[in-house]
Amino acid sequence: MAAENYTVNNVESFIITGFDHLQNQKLLGFLILITYMLILLGNGINLCIISINRHLHKPMYILICNLAVVDIMFSSTCSTTMISVLLAETKTVSYYSCISRTYFYHLGDIIVCIALTLMAIDRLIAIKIPLRYHSIVTNSRTFLLISLTWLIGFSIMGVVISVVDNVPYCQPVIRYVFCDYPSMIRAACVNPEPYFFLPAMISLWLLCGQFPFILCTYAVLAYSVTRLSNNSSKKQMISTCSSHLIVLFSYYAPKLVSVLLTRIGVVLSLTDRNAVTIVASIVPSLINPTVYCTRTKEIRKRLADVFLHKRIVPNHLKVVS
């Protein structure tokens, strides 16, 4: 039967087969489960600490909260599917569940990238023009930029997901480890190559547009930090910027490795591609809260106060002896 005679109505669910060849599926499932629980715990701690402490209601911490929300959404869309397949042995995902997971997975991918750009710009303004920082970067403007970021992401993904929702599917089999754009397009009874042009343009924007811009921003920051005369300020800025760089490279490194290997002619097997995808999907979301909990002084201090059972007294209530 010709491909054009098929419609999306032929498929009510998909079967995830990306793990079928693995021997220790339960072990991998437990590792992903533990990682996912740590992601929820770490990002949840950051959100709670920042939200309940008015002292932390500042642009940089609002941006950290935004990143935490995205990490939870991003990791949840893929981790829950993999845990279900590996531990519950439920390989079937309904069509619209797969569509929605694809939507929010790639939405998270886009939002994380723009969030990292906003954080780099925030630090650039803080170092280059510190006296005007609080008048330029306000909480209301930060919320506005975050809202615009999500609006851009929703709009882009609306176009992308409409493509996925309108291609005909012949077999309800996904050879990858969860629902995303490449896996669904390759499950369709169409020549997949033309359908990769749009995501390729988005990836080009993320890797060749946003990433070099962020690197240039941090290069300017590094130069500016070396010119600071105050050693205390210099150490604080170096610590803050290094935290952002760790988060930046944890997000971009798996993508760059995959692209570079492909460009130099290395043919990745399906297992290799799935491994890179799993690492790129859950490791950055685990590293982000860990970095901000351990390397951001204010969050680390508040966290220590909680675990040491210290009573946090607002500054305006403290009595000077």
Side-chain angles (χ1 to χ4, degrees):
M1 186 179 292
E4 58 268 19
N5 291 333
Y6 288 93
T7 67
V8 293
N9 295 326
N10 290 115
V11 175
E12 295 182 356
S13 61
F14 290 101
I15 301 172
I16 308 294
T17 63
F19 295 112
D20 285 359
H21 63 287
L22 294 182
Q23 297 294 325
N24 300 316
Q25 294 187 20
K26 295 291 185 183
L27 176 60
L28 178 59
F30 277 116
L31 288 175
I32 293 175
L33 175 62
I34 292 170
T35 303
Y36 179 54
M37 292 175 66
L38 291 174
I39 289 170
L40 295 180
L41 177 64
N43 285 293
I45 288 173
N46 275 348
L47 286 171
C48 288
I49 289 177
I50 294 172
S51 62
I52 65 177
N53 288 279
R54 293 179 62 86
H55 179 64
L56 299 182
H57 293 179
K58 301 175 182 178
M60 186 180 76
Y61 296 103
I62 293 172
L63 291 171
I64 291 175
C65 279
N66 178 52
L67 190 62
V69 171
V70 180
D71 279 337
I72 291 173
M73 179 188 72
F74 183 63
S75 59
S76 294
T77 55
C78 56
S79 296
T80 51
T81 300
M82 294 189 287
I83 292 168
S84 176
V85 172
L86 292 169
L87 296 182
E89 298 183 356
T90 304
K91 298 182 180 181
T92 303
V93 181
S94 69
Y95 175 80
Y96 287 106
S97 175
C98 204
I99 284 281
S100 62
R101 289 169 188 267
T102 299
Y103 183 93
F104 287 107
Y105 176 79
H106 293 291
L107 173 65
D109 210 13
I110 293 171
I111 300 296
V112 166
C113 178
I114 305 178
L116 293 174
T117 303
L118 291 178
M119 296 174 83
I121 294 173
D122 171 78
R123 291 300 86 200
L124 181 64
I125 296 173
I127 292 177
K128 293 295 291 183
I129 43 177
L131 297 179
R132 296 182 58 196
Y133 173 78
H134 293 292
S135 62
I136 295 173
V137 186
T138 63
N139 286 356
S140 58
R141 287 176 181 171
T142 303
F143 277 118
L144 177 61
L145 287 172
I146 290 174
S147 299
L148 287 174
T149 294
W150 282 84
L151 182 60
I152 291 170
F154 280 124
S155 301
I156 293 174
M157 281 312 302
V159 176
V160 173
I161 212 68
S162 66
V163 175
V164 176
D165 193 33
N166 284 287
V167 292
Y169 292 93
C170 300
Q171 294 182 349
V173 175
I174 288 181
R175 298 169 58 217
Y176 296 84
V177 291
F178 55 81
C179 299
D180 63 354
Y181 184 89
S183 65
M184 294 196 71
I185 288 297
R186 293 191 185 281
C189 50
V190 295
N191 176 16
E193 296 307 320
Y195 291 90
F196 284 119
F197 177 77
L198 178 59
M201 291 298 100
I202 296 173
S203 296
L204 190 66
W205 166 52
L206 298 179
L207 291 175
C208 300
Q210 297 286 320
F211 185 56
F213 173 79
I214 298 173
L215 288 182
C216 289
T217 300
Y218 281 108
V220 174
L221 287 174
Y223 176 75
S224 301
V225 168
T226 59
R227 296 175 63 86
L228 292 174
S229 56
N230 189 313
N231 287 332
S232 177
S233 298
K234 185 182 292 188
K235 288 180 180 179
Q236 183 180 358
M237 289 300 178
I238 290 174
S239 177
T240 302
C241 292
S242 62
S243 298
H244 291 323
L245 284 172
I246 292 171
V247 170
L248 176 69
F249 282 103
S250 73
Y251 170 72
Y252 277 105
K255 298 179 184 296
L256 292 171
V257 168
S258 179
V259 171
L260 289 174
L261 289 177
T262 303
R263 288 293 174 267
I264 63 176
V266 177
V267 180
L268 296 176
S269 66
L270 184 61
T271 302
D272 295 333
R273 288 184 181 277
N274 285 337
V276 171
T277 301
I278 292 172
V279 170
S281 301
I282 62 176
V283 171
S285 298
L286 177 63
I287 290 176
N288 294 351
T290 305
V291 167
Y292 289 122
C293 278
T294 58
R295 296 182 64 87
T296 303
K297 182 180 177 181
E298 291 291 345
I299 296 178
R300 188 172 65 244
K301 181 178 181 299
R302 302 289 171 171
L303 192 60
D305 290 339
V306 171
F307 280 104
L308 295 176
H309 303 290
K310 291 182 179 180
R311 185 181 177 186
I312 301 172
V313 182
N315 291 330
H316 67 280
L317 295 179
K318 291 180 179 178
V319 178
V320 180
S321 57

